[in-house]
Amino acid sequence: KAGVTQTPRYLIKTRGQQVTLSCSPISGHRSVSWYQQTPGQGLQFLFEYFSETQRNKGNFPGRFSGRQFSNSRSEMNVSTLELGDSALYLCASNPTSTSYEQYFGPGTRLTVT
Amino acid sequence: QQQVKQSPQSLIVQKGGISIINCAYENTAFDYFPWYQQFPGKGPALLIAIRPDVSEKKEGRFTISFNKSAKQFSLHIMDSQPGDSATYFCAASIGNFGNEKLTFGTGTRLTIIP
């Protein structure tokens, strides 16, 4: 099976802009979670989607949002970018209902200037 | 509030030695404890995971030891190899379907020297 794919892999944006990141889960996996990884804060949970519904949410401001499509693909959006949003954004997919294992994609490296 | 504490921050081990990374958790509702390995430029890769109903789980050179009463768990890498040089993260989740979000430790940068 193909792994989790994320696009784009690298992105440079200017403060105040918005950005959309995309994630395609492993085939058959219905749950998609997003994490932010920074040197200072480590890996932090953003939100999780299952069957097109946000099921869990971390402690991030409303500028961070996401959605999931009927084919389980997911997007996350960050509006009004701040310098502190520079991070590696990781997507993880999980089959749910059969396993707790989460499989991560390679991430999207976002740099805000 | 850091719910999963990981130590050490960095670790240098000679080739062939045993690498040991420790984690402690606070939330007694945590019920699933995976370890992830991350190489530079890559996403974390699931290495091994344990549920609290067993005290130890071994997969090849990797072993998780779990102490429920102390709320601690550790990763042992036997016969460490240069290819094991990576950052390792412990994590925990409540372990019921519908609540799989992971809380991660801060990571341990492991370097295996020849």
Side-chain angles (χ1 to χ4, degrees):
Chain A
K1 276 186 181 178
V4 177
T5 58
Q6 292 187 246
T7 56
R9 292 292 313 278
Y10 303 93
L11 207 48
I12 300 175
K13 288 287 188 179
T14 303
R15 191 170 45 183
Q17 289 185 315
Q18 74 164 16
V19 67
T20 299
L21 312 181
S22 181
C23 171
S24 292
I26 293 171
S27 177
H29 287 194
R30 299 169 63 193
S31 166
V32 174
S33 298
W34 289 88
Y35 293 81
Q36 181 196 63
Q37 185 174 26
T38 60
Q41 298 299 316
L43 279 150
Q44 293 188 289
F45 173 78
L46 279 155
F47 31 65
E48 184 240 353
Y49 285 86
F50 174 76
S51 290
E52 302 178 63
T53 301
Q54 187 180 88
R55 194 161 62 171
N56 287 292
K57 189 176 188 307
N59 296 323
F60 279 81
R63 300 186 296 106
F64 292 82
S65 63
R67 59 177 176 168
Q68 186 180 35
F69 302 94
S70 58
N71 62 358
S72 293
R73 191 177 70 83
S74 176
E75 289 180 348
M76 70 163 280
N77 184 79
V78 188
S79 62
T80 319
L81 284 165
E82 300 177 0
L83 295 179
D85 297 333
S86 294
L88 181 66
Y89 289 89
L90 294 158
C91 165
S93 79
N94 163 250
T96 200
S97 301
T98 58
S99 168
Y100 302 120
E101 296 177 350
Q102 293 196 37
Y103 298 91
F104 284 83
T108 293
R109 172 73 63 185
L110 171 65
T111 302
V112 182
T113 62
Chain B
Q1 181 190 9
Q2 187 183 350
Q3 294 197 56
V4 179
K5 295 182 180 179
Q6 184 172 347
S7 63
Q9 190 172 11
S10 63
L11 181 62
I12 299 174
V13 175
Q14 278 207 310
K15 178 183 174 182
I18 303 174
S19 303
I20 302 174
I21 304 171
N22 300 300
C23 284
Y25 63 97
E26 299 169 5
N27 188 347
T28 54
F30 285 147
D31 199 33
Y32 171 71
F33 302 89
W35 283 89
Y36 283 84
Q37 178 190 57
Q38 187 176 29
F39 293 104
K42 306 285 188 183
L46 179 63
L47 203 55
I48 186 173
I50 197 169
R51 301 291 303 270
D53 51 348
V54 296
S55 59
E56 187 175 281
K57 181 174 181 180
K58 185 176 180 180
E59 288 186 5
R61 296 184 295 109
F62 300 92
T63 300
I64 299 180
S65 296
F66 189 85
N67 185 330
K68 188 173 182 178
S69 61
K71 293 189 287 185
Q72 295 175 347
F73 58 110
S74 60
L75 175 70
H76 295 232
I77 306 174
M78 312 299 288
D79 187 26
S80 299
Q81 299 296 312
D84 297 330
S85 297
T87 300
Y88 292 81
F89 293 92
C90 61
S93 72
I94 292 181
N96 58 22
F97 296 124
N99 202 357
E100 295 97 334
K101 73 170 192 176
L102 292 167
T103 298
F104 282 89
T106 49
T108 296
R109 180 170 292 183
L110 174 65
T111 303
I112 307 300
I113 56 175

